């Protein structure tokens, strides 16, 4: 893991439901709470192997209620829907930030294919 992928500042904007990550080179990623919740690295979301992913629905209003450091390698996010089992390591958070648009579009496609619509 490179130190480049470790944010120097993490700010939670609860009103707008955005987690902001700032890096040493000034790069900033603003990740929505819903986006983070549906991309949680927990087994509840990813399953226990390839093809076992569980599509997360109805997470439009979820917020982050707590951020807990996990060693020197990441954070655990506590979500308002009670989900708190995923550990977001620095590399995964950076990956989410860099690939946010593509990952979000893929999530929306999966929702549509499953017959779900986001509210709002």
């Amino acid at each position: 893991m490179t130190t480049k992928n470790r944010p120097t500042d993490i700010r939670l904007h609860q009103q707008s439901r955005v987690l902001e990550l700032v890096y040493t080179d000034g790069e900033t990623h603003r990740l929505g709470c819903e986006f983070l919740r549906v991309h949680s690295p927990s087994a509840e979301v990813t399953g226990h192997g390839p093809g076992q992913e569980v599509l997360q629905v109805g997470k439009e209003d979820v917020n982050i209620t707590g951020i807990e450091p996990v060693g020197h390698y990441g954070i655990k996010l506590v979500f308002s829907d009670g989900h708190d089992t995923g550990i977001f390591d620095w590399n995964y958070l950076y990956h989410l930030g860099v690939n946010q648009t593509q990952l979000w579009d893929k999530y929306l496609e999966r929702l549509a294919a499953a017959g779900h619509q986001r509210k709002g």
Side-chain angles (χ1 to χ4, degrees), residues 11 30 46 75 97-98 106 116:
R11 298 180 195 137
R30 295 177 53 84
T46 64
I75 54 177
V98 169
K106 185 177 179 181
H116 293 282

Side-chain angles (χ1 to χ4, degrees), residues 54-57 106-117:
V54 179
L55 182 62
Q56 302 296 301
V57 298
K106 185 177 179 181
Y107 170 70
L108 294 178
E109 289 170 10
R110 288 180 62 214
L111 275 181
H116 293 282
Q117 273 192 316

Side-chain angles (χ1 to χ4, degrees), residues 28-74:
T28 301
H29 298 154
R30 295 177 53 84
L31 306 173
C33 293
E34 178 187 6
F35 175 78
L36 289 164
R37 176 61 180 84
V38 303
H39 288 92
S40 171
S42 71
E44 176 187 325
V45 175
T46 64
H48 293 283
Q52 295 183 0
E53 298 84 5
V54 179
L55 182 62
Q56 302 296 301
V57 298
K59 303 301 178 187
E60 296 89 338
D61 297 326
V62 76
N63 209 334
I64 293 172
T65 59
I67 302 172
E68 302 172 11
V70 178
H72 293 288
Y73 61 90

